[in-house]
Amino acid sequence: MNRKSVRFGQNFVTSINDINKICKKIDVNSNDVYFEIGPGKGHFTQYFVERAKEVIAIEIDSELIPILNNKFSDLDNIKIVNHDFMSYELPSTFKYKVFGNIPFNLSTSIIRKLSLEKYADEIYLIVELGFAKRLEDLNRKMGLMLAPFYEISILYNIPKRYFHPIPSVEVVLIKLKRTSYNMSMKEYIKYEDFIEKWVKKDYNVLFTKNQLKQAIRYGNIDNLRILKVDQILSIFESYKLFNGLK
Ligand SMILES: C[S@@+](CC[C@H](N)C(=O)[O-])C[C@H]1O[C@@H](n2cnc3c(N)ncnc32)[C@H](O)[C@@H]1O
């Protein structure tokens, strides 16, 4: 690995056998448009390009672009883009899918970006197990920020030996399936502010005693510590209503 791949990269999977075992869990068919985050040298890309209608591979490291162009020069269903995924403008007119074996320190920012992309219908990411668990946890900020928009499932505990260098943490493949719920950026910022206070249990900052009682009643809630997604959204709606934020 060169200096750049250490800077932008992390844990690579290169064996075709191992890649097939991981990708078997992923739904790819001939109607799919797939965006790949960080294709690297195109090991996973090959799998998608052979099965999807189109692949748009977005790689930040300009040194990898000639390698990718060369590898896929015979194919016309792939577009290789030298761009930072974080500032890449995703489509807003058709549904698409996303795959990424991404640097783990980008997981949170990628999830945040994709939360607002209503056409990102299915997302498959390779992430740390701990991160995946935080995404599933509706008592934590990350879980509550994601839950309205995506149903999350852990598809596969990937054997550490598939990666090089071998990671020190457990790594999993997760799937996020888009729900029909949407928010504007403005609304999302309000929701984030609300959730930050909610997870700290700062209920008295969010509501008066009476308002909290009412919000609990509107949300049909028995136990504030075990909430379902629609209940937290109902509480958020009450919060906006009581605070003139609607
Ligand atoms: C862990 S490596 C994986 C490479 C390849 N997917 C694989 O599994 O072999 C992560 C890749 O993401 C790229 N990358 C890192 N940050 C990125 C960003 N913000 N936007 C696009 N690509 C990025 C890196 O340059 C690197 O190629």
Side-chain angles (χ1 to χ4, degrees):
M1 252 192 311
N2 63 26
R3 186 191 52 76
K4 273 221 172 145
S5 55
V6 170
R7 200 177 125 218
F8 292 124
Q10 200 159 253
N11 301 98
F12 294 78
V13 184
T14 51
S15 142
I16 294 190
N17 246 340
D18 297 345
I19 285 173
N20 285 342
K21 281 187 200 141
I22 297 170
C23 289
K24 236 176 32 196
K25 314 276 176 194
I26 298 177
D27 187 29
V28 198
N29 65 62
S30 57
N31 297 320
D32 289 336
V33 175
Y34 255 92
F35 282 82
E36 185 182 3
I37 315 170
K41 292 186 178 165
H43 295 105
F44 279 99
T45 321
Q46 181 80 45
Y47 185 93
F48 288 95
V49 92
E50 282 168 9
R51 291 164 177 82
K53 181 172 143 203
E54 193 186 356
V55 174
I56 299 116
I58 301 160
E59 175 53 61
I60 197 170
D61 188 343
S62 51
E63 284 177 19
L64 295 170
I65 301 300
I67 300 171
L68 288 164
N69 280 334
N70 192 31
K71 180 165 182 167
F72 299 110
S73 61
D74 291 345
L75 299 169
D76 57 11
N77 66 331
I78 179 163
K79 201 167 137 201
I80 293 150
V81 185
N82 186 196
H83 210 286
D84 180 348
F85 181 74
M86 297 318 303
S87 57
Y88 184 83
E89 199 172 319
L90 288 157
S92 53
T93 49
F94 60 89
K95 285 189 178 176
Y96 55 87
K97 297 182 180 179
V98 179
F99 168 79
N101 176 26
I102 47 170
F104 298 147
N105 61 359
L106 279 190
S107 305
T108 305
S109 326
I110 285 174
I111 294 285
R112 194 181 154 86
K113 174 178 170 76
L114 290 172
S115 291
L116 292 168
E117 298 290 346
K118 60 179 176 189
Y119 290 92
D121 193 38
E122 278 176 26
I123 302 167
Y124 298 87
L125 295 174
I126 292 177
V127 299
E128 290 182 54
L129 173 64
F131 177 79
K133 294 242 181 250
R134 288 200 293 282
L135 286 184
E136 283 184 319
D137 187 347
L138 290 190
N139 285 308
R140 302 185 75 124
K141 179 180 170 188
M142 219 187 299
L144 287 168
M145 289 308 297
L146 185 71
F149 311 103
Y150 288 100
E151 280 160 23
I152 167 169
S153 40
I154 296 178
L155 297 184
Y156 186 38
N157 280 63
I158 305 175
K160 285 189 185 183
R161 63 173 189 283
Y162 286 11
F163 295 94
H164 58 92
I166 291 181
S168 55
V169 290
E170 298 296 317
V171 180
V172 291
L173 173 70
I174 58 169
K175 174 181 179 181
L176 308 178
K177 174 71 187 159
R178 188 88 200 171
T179 65
S180 54
Y181 192 84
N182 286 308
M183 260 182 210
S184 65
M185 184 52 146
K186 217 169 130 192
E187 191 77 351
Y188 186 78
I189 290 167
K190 278 185 217 161
Y191 182 63
E192 185 165 35
D193 184 51
F194 165 80
I195 289 299
E196 268 167 15
K197 294 181 177 116
W198 182 262
V199 290
K200 281 194 218 144
K201 302 191 172 51
D202 279 346
Y203 305 135
N204 56 341
V205 177
L206 295 167
F207 300 103
T208 64
K209 260 193 183 153
N210 259 344
Q211 287 173 344
L212 184 61
K213 264 193 205 155
Q214 255 179 298
I216 289 173
R217 190 155 43 81
Y218 290 159
N220 211 2
I221 293 160
D222 297 324
N223 183 345
L224 272 185
R225 298 186 201 289
I226 317 169
L227 292 185
K228 298 195 184 92
V229 189
D230 51 345
Q231 291 175 322
I232 196 77
L233 287 173
S234 163
I235 295 220
F236 176 53
E237 287 304 314
S238 296
Y239 163 75
K240 285 190 299 181
L241 185 71
F242 298 146
N243 289 282
L245 297 172
K246 275 216 179 241

